[in-house]
């Protein structure tokens, strides 16, 4: 009996720990009065949406705080502010957030939020004296005569001449919170403009779309639906800036050498493409596009080859076309880099990758 008990203890220690149920984040009143809402809160909102990798937890906190401040709903602010600070928001950024939103959602909403912010900061023993000292003062107003309307002068000098340039919140974050606050308040008149500004300031299309999706739970589906439609129109009509998103390194499984995808884009519903930068010696593997491909060389020189054809030199201004399903490769020369825009039809699979171009084959290219 003693041996059996000992063996049972060993087996229990060796067995993987049973998964503990996730504690509910739904308020007690919700669990008692609206248990289905509590289930959605635990299972969908906090068990799925908050965990999606498309937007960082810190950014999700910024979105929610912007919605709560911008719509004057401060009852849940303390919990979300604590969550935001845990998610990496800095006190100086919270100060910058409420100051920024005062201009976009009104002074009363910002002032109402300050009491909650001060209480949370005090409870977390945040040094408010040090916080105030870290905030740079605004520049003094010019004493020169001004013939502009007061509203025009405030917009130019205070909002875009001072507020957007302050260091307590980055340009990217200012765009994120402005988009979130405008969408949450249903103030969509300038939303498209701020979506385009957000792309210029470093937000990606995916981050903006995910932020508005997250916002649906805090501002309601109708406002999120309307805002997503405006954002999509802004994506299609706006100028897509070089460097708006961090370049990604092309995978070595399909490329030889260093190549970077700098600006993936889809400006039309039936066309997709990217700007690709090849360092000297870098090239694609052999591949084919089911819908064909158009290459426009924008900088440097490179080589391209279609199956059973010669290796051809291409330089800035040249255009290379591969027919649907035609096997080919392209890349930089061995001594100079090349950048090209690659366009192909948006419907169907983009590319079928094949074997790599061997060093021996590549060295057989034309002169530099």
């Amino acid at each position: 009996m003693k041996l059996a008990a000992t063996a049972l203890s060993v087996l229990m220690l060796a067995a993987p720990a049973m998964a503990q149920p996730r504690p509910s984040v739904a308020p007690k009143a919700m669990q008692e009065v609206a248990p289905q809402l509590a289930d959605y809160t635990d299972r969908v909102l906090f068990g799925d949406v908050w965990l999606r990798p498309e937007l960082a937890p810190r950014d999700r906190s910024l979105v929610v705080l912007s919605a709560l401040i911008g719509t004057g709903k401060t009852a849940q602010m303390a919990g979300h502010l604590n969550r935001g600070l845990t998610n990496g928001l800095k006190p100086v950024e919270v100060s910058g957030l409420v100051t920024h939103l005062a201009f976009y959602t009104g002074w009363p909403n910002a002032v109402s939020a300050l009491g909650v912010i001060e209480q949370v900061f005090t409870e977390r023993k945040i040094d408010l004296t040090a916080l105030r000292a870290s905030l740079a003062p605004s520049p003094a107003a010019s004493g020169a005569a001004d013939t502009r309307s007061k509203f025009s002068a405030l917009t130019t000098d205070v909002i875009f001449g001072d507020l957007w340039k302050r260091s307590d919140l980055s340009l990217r974050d200012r765009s994120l919170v402005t988009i979130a606050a405008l969408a949450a308040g249903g103030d969509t008149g300038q939303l498209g403009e701020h979506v385009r500004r957000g792309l210029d300031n470093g937000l990606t299309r995916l981050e903006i779309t995910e932020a508005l999706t997250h916002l649906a739970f805090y501002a309601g589906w109708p406002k999120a639906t309307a805002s997503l439609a405006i954002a999509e129109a802004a994506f299609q009509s706006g100028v897509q800036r070089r460097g708006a998103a961090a370049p990604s390194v092309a995978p070595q499984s399909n490329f030889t050498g260093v190549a970077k995808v700098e600006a993936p884009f889809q400006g039309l519903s039936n066309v997709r493409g990217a700007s690709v930068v090849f360092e000297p010696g870098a090239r694609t593997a052999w591949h084919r596009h089911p819908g064909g491909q158009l290459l426009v060389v924008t900088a440097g020189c490179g080589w391209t080859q279609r199956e059973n054809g010669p290796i051809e030199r291409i330089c800035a201004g040249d255009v290379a076309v591969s027919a649907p399903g035609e096997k080919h490769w392209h890349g930089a020369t061995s001594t100079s880099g090349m950048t090209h825009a690659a366009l192909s039809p948006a419907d169907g699979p983009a590319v079928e990758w094949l074997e790599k171009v061997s060093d021996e084959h590549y060295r057989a290219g034309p002169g530099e």
Side-chain angles (χ1 to χ4, degrees):
M1 180 67 71
K2 185 175 181 180
L3 180 60
T6 302
L8 180 59
S9 299
V10 171
L11 288 173
M12 291 178 67
L13 288 172
M18 294 290 290
Q20 296 298 314
R22 183 188 181 95
S24 175
V25 298
K28 183 179 179 182
M30 185 186 294
Q31 297 178 38
E32 294 293 335
V33 178
Q36 187 58 61
L37 179 57
D39 176 64
Y40 286 138
T41 299
D42 291 332
R43 179 171 52 85
V44 180
L45 180 54
F46 286 95
D48 178 15
V49 175
W50 268 92
L51 304 179
R52 284 171 56 81
E54 287 79 1
L55 195 65
R58 170 192 176 277
D59 292 343
R60 292 185 186 276
S61 287
L62 271 177
V63 168
V64 175
L65 288 170
S66 298
L68 296 178
I69 295 172
T71 56
K73 296 181 174 69
T74 58
Q76 290 188 322
M77 256 197 69
H80 280 288
L81 180 52
N82 274 301
R83 176 183 288 268
L85 292 167
T86 300
N87 285 340
L89 280 178
K90 300 174 183 177
V92 68
E93 292 173 328
V94 176
S95 176
L97 167 66
V98 72
T99 303
H100 188 92
L101 292 185
F103 286 89
Y104 284 91
T105 67
W107 245 249
N109 286 336
V111 172
S112 296
L114 289 175
V116 179
I117 295 172
E118 183 182 25
Q119 179 184 349
V120 171
F121 280 7
T122 300
E123 291 172 351
R124 293 177 76 105
K125 295 181 170 54
I126 292 171
D127 188 342
L128 299 182
T129 302
L131 172 63
R132 289 193 297 272
S134 70
L135 295 170
S138 297
S142 170
D146 195 339
T147 59
R148 299 170 296 174
S149 71
K150 190 61 178 177
F151 183 81
S152 175
L154 288 170
T155 301
T156 302
D157 300 340
V158 178
I159 294 185
F160 292 106
D162 178 26
L163 181 69
W164 275 84
K165 295 181 179 180
R166 292 184 59 82
S167 60
D168 45 23
L169 208 59
S170 70
L171 281 174
R172 174 194 177 278
D173 289 347
R174 289 188 188 279
S175 284
L176 179 63
V177 303
T178 303
I179 291 168
L182 293 177
D187 302 320
T188 56
Q190 292 187 338
L191 183 59
E193 175 187 341
H194 279 287
V195 167
R196 290 188 286 272
R197 176 182 288 268
L199 294 172
D200 289 346
N201 287 338
L203 287 171
T204 67
R205 292 176 55 165
L206 180 60
E207 288 172 330
I208 294 172
T209 301
E210 190 69 18
L212 294 174
T213 301
H214 191 103
L215 197 68
F217 290 85
Y218 293 90
W221 243 251
K223 289 177 180 175
T225 301
S227 298
L228 282 165
I230 291 171
E232 183 60 31
F235 295 153
Q236 302 300 334
S237 64
V239 175
Q240 297 180 38
R241 304 291 184 185
R242 180 179 183 271
S248 59
V249 178
Q252 287 298 294
S253 57
N254 302 324
F255 287 75
T256 299
V258 178
K260 295 180 180 179
V261 180
E262 281 208 332
F265 56 84
Q266 186 170 336
L268 300 172
S269 60
N270 60 341
V271 176
R272 61 184 161 206
S275 177
V276 185
V277 179
F278 294 85
E279 293 189 4
R283 70 269 188 184
T284 69
W286 286 97
H287 60 285
R288 57 172 63 99
H289 299 274
Q293 184 184 58
L294 176 72
L295 297 180
V296 181
V297 183
T298 57
C301 287
W303 294 332
T304 185
Q305 182 184 24
R306 294 179 289 181
E307 188 175 30
N308 299 322
I311 299 177
E312 300 180 85
R313 180 179 171 85
I314 50 175
C315 291
D318 291 341
V319 176
V321 179
S322 60
E326 185 174 54
K327 183 177 177 180
H328 68 291
W329 67 269
H330 42 90
T333 71
S334 59
T335 60
S336 68
M338 179 187 70
T339 302
H340 67 51
L343 300 97
S344 58
D347 55 330
V351 60
E352 178 189 358
W353 290 105
L354 305 168
E355 72 276 10
K356 284 195 172 186
V357 177
S358 68
D359 290 342
E360 181 181 12
H361 186 93
Y362 176 77
R363 284 194 293 267
E368 299 296 320

